[in-house]
């Protein structure tokens, strides 16, 4: 591998300068963190699985007309992406009460929500990613009203698609987090889907047993984290393309 | 005083059955609480001053066409109000960073906001009044989209009026909290302003010195709480109607 300029190292991924201007290479690490990175682990093979799952989902979303940053997968841990100006918001979409929504509103985990709910959190680890309302987003110029509308419409499309896709393989999409970025064309910015979609960023429950197949296994010390991520990939029918070492089981 | 049915006793006020159907008597206590009532005190005379300040402000708001629950003041601690179906939201309007906004977003207290920001908090002491977004409000049916719009429009009018009124007497309106309720007319509900507007529910800073003249004096143990509330009433020109015992100073 040639020496490349590292642009940013995050908690789960590294961004390198890409081969063309306006591109980046997104490298998926095995590092796993939770609770503002106060809890950490290295889960062998996680980066490989998430790289593949995210490739698969971004590609499928692209085919229904949801524009994403994904260009192509380069190798086991890397994908080529379009560089975007990241909007500093985590967009969360929830179908079933879980996690912080359950805590904040005293609703038992697993309770179906009356309808899908979209939430915005400020991407700021130091401030512990506080929830924000549209009022804050527009007042502090984190995104425009038009961009909020675009993000919400895209998030609902992603939710519809993912709910269908996971539902078809016996998985309930409880909630997920996505990020968006701006692509500039002259003075006009378009919003596209960026970052990743993987068991790190979704709550995925087995539809029959409600068994968790996502990062909550790590957050809550439930064990079998990689096995669960692998099960998600297996059900999506993309395990056969994995290297033998991962197909054979990583632990 | 005749025996009346107590409808509700809150942290700062008591509601009694009113003389006519659809009315209530709102009694202002001297009890003062902060931080989910973990901090408590009785501040002699506070109820009298807040009853008078809230009467004054609600009356003035009524005269610019903002409909309120206020009917008339009955005595030192009581006012007759229209009974409403309270919307379980605290509507906060902020002009200057302070309190929880400063904490959540790491903005120094006193920093002017780029524009006035309206926030909604769920009125639920057990859940510590969590901040909510419009998405939560409509999904959980706490208020309709139309009601949110109405509350926001009314809140901006209240903010404009109060900013002008306090500004004229050398007080900066940093932020305030209001509550709204529904009045039913057949199947149609209208939103009116309810509860109170007083130094308990506003942040009021002396425009010259930034000295706090509001409940933060109690929250932060700054002393002279009643003296500051009295100063607000004095500047509004309504101290002369106060009983001599309060005019003479309560402490
Ligand atoms: N297409 C893109 N262009 C630029 N930045 C991106 C793109 N996609 C994702 N990012 C950013 O790259 C980082 C991905 O690494 P990650 O480990 O998730 O970081 P973090 O710890 O900040 O969440 C994130 O900060 C994310 O916002
Ligand atoms: N016009 C009204 N009709 C019915 N309820 C009201 C009206 N105005 C205010 N309230 C409610 O009365 C209570 C006032 O008492 P307070 O001590 O402030 O209670 P709390 O501790 O619940 O804030 C509040 O719960 C408020 O929502
Ligand atoms: Mg990330
Ligand atoms: Mg109250």
């Amino acid at each position: 591998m040639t020496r490349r300029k590292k642009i940013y190292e995050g908690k789960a991924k590294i961004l390198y300068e890409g081969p063309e201007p306006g591109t980046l290479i997104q490298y998926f690490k095995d590092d796993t963190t939770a609770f503002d990175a106060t809890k950490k682990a290295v889960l062998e093979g996680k980066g490989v699985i998430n790289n593949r799952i995210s490739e698969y989902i971004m590609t499928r979303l692209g085919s229904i007309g949801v524009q994403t940053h994904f260009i192509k997968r380069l190798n086991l841990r890397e994908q080529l992406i379009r560089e975007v100006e990241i909007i500093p918001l985590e967009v969360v979409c929830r179908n079933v009460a879980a996690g912080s929504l359950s805590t904040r509103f005293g609703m038992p985990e697993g309770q179906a929500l009356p309808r899908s709910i979209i939430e915005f959190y400020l991407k700021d680890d130091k401030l512990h990613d506080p929830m924000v309302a549209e009022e804050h987003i527009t007042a502090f110029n984190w995104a425009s009203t038009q961009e909020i509308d675009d993000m919400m419409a895209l998030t609902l499309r992603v939710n519809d698609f993912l709910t269908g896709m996971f539902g078809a393989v016996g998985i309930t999409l409880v909630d997920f987090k996505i990020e968006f970025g701006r692509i500039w064309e002259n003075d006009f910015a378009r919003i596209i889907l960026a970052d990743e979609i993987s068991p790190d960023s979704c709550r995925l429950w087995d539809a029959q047993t409600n068994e968790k197949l996502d990062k909550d296994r790590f957050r809550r010390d439930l064990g079998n984290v990689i096995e669960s991520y692998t099960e998600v990939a297996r059900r999506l029918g993309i395990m056969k393309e994995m290297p033998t070492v991962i197909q054979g089981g990583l632990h």
Side-chain angles (χ1 to χ4, degrees), chain A:
Chain A
M1 208 156 294
T2 55
R3 273 263 151 262
R4 298 164 309 185
K5 196 171 150 207
K6 192 193 276 191
I7 306 286
Y8 176 81
E9 173 150 8
K11 298 186 292 296
K13 304 184 288 295
I14 305 173
L15 299 179
Y16 295 101
E17 204 169 56
E20 317 273 338
T23 66
L24 294 173
I25 291 167
Q26 186 167 238
Y27 175 98
F28 286 74
K29 300 192 283 186
D30 288 340
D31 299 11
T32 309
T33 65
F35 314 121
D36 295 316
T38 51
K39 178 168 184 169
K40 293 185 207 192
V42 176
L43 297 173
E44 203 191 321
K46 187 202 70 155
V48 175
I49 299 176
N50 281 357
N51 185 31
R52 178 69 188 104
I53 293 179
S54 203
E55 170 197 15
Y56 178 72
I57 293 177
M58 293 282 181
T59 305
R60 303 276 317 249
L61 284 171
S63 74
I64 64 161
V66 173
Q67 294 200 54
T68 83
H69 72 161
F70 182 80
I71 301 172
K72 69 168 183 229
R73 187 158 62 84
L74 298 172
N75 55 52
L76 280 182
R77 292 188 177 272
E78 294 181 333
Q79 50 182 243
L80 185 66
I81 59 174
R82 290 186 68 167
E83 180 170 21
V84 301
E85 183 183 303
I86 281 284
I87 292 175
L89 297 170
E90 306 206 327
V91 184
V92 170
C93 182
R94 303 175 179 276
N95 301 303
V96 175
S100 69
L101 182 133
S102 288
T103 311
R104 288 170 67 82
F105 300 143
M107 290 176 193
E109 287 213 322
Q111 183 177 300
L113 296 173
R115 61 167 177 75
S116 305
I117 292 178
I118 296 175
E119 297 174 334
F120 295 96
Y121 294 84
L122 183 64
K123 250 186 96 68
D124 189 324
D125 286 341
K126 282 191 310 303
L127 299 173
H128 313 295
D129 295 344
M131 200 183 81
V132 298
E134 293 187 36
E135 281 276 297
H136 304 116
I137 297 172
T138 53
F140 298 123
N141 246 309
W142 295 322
S144 69
T145 304
Q146 181 61 57
E147 287 173 333
I148 294 173
D149 289 350
D150 290 352
M151 287 190 285
M152 291 183 80
L154 284 167
T155 300
L156 291 177
R157 289 200 68 196
V158 172
N159 188 39
D160 286 345
F161 179 82
L162 292 183
T163 300
M165 182 190 82
F166 283 120
V169 298
I171 293 174
T172 304
L173 179 66
V174 170
D175 55 40
F176 61 93
K177 182 275 290 182
I178 50 184
E179 295 181 25
F180 293 95
R182 295 183 188 96
I183 298 273
W184 288 93
E185 277 155 7
N186 306 317
D187 281 353
F188 182 77
R190 229 159 10 94
I191 293 278
I192 69 171
L193 187 61
D195 205 51
E196 70 176 293
I197 299 183
S198 74
D200 267 6
S201 59
C202 302
R203 279 199 175 87
L204 303 170
W205 295 0
D206 179 90
Q208 295 299 313
T209 63
N210 281 346
E211 195 192 359
K212 297 181 201 313
L213 301 171
D214 56 57
K215 192 167 154 182
D216 274 345
R217 299 207 72 85
F218 169 69
R219 291 191 194 92
R220 304 178 189 189
D221 295 317
L222 301 174
N224 292 331
V225 185
I226 283 297
E227 290 76 0
S228 301
Y229 284 38
T230 306
E231 175 63 12
V232 172
R234 199 193 56 72
R235 293 207 197 170
L236 292 175
I238 57 181
M239 266 314 280
K240 48 190 174 304
E241 298 151 50
M242 291 285 182
T244 331
V245 54
I246 289 188
Q247 286 196 38
L250 279 151
H251 290 273

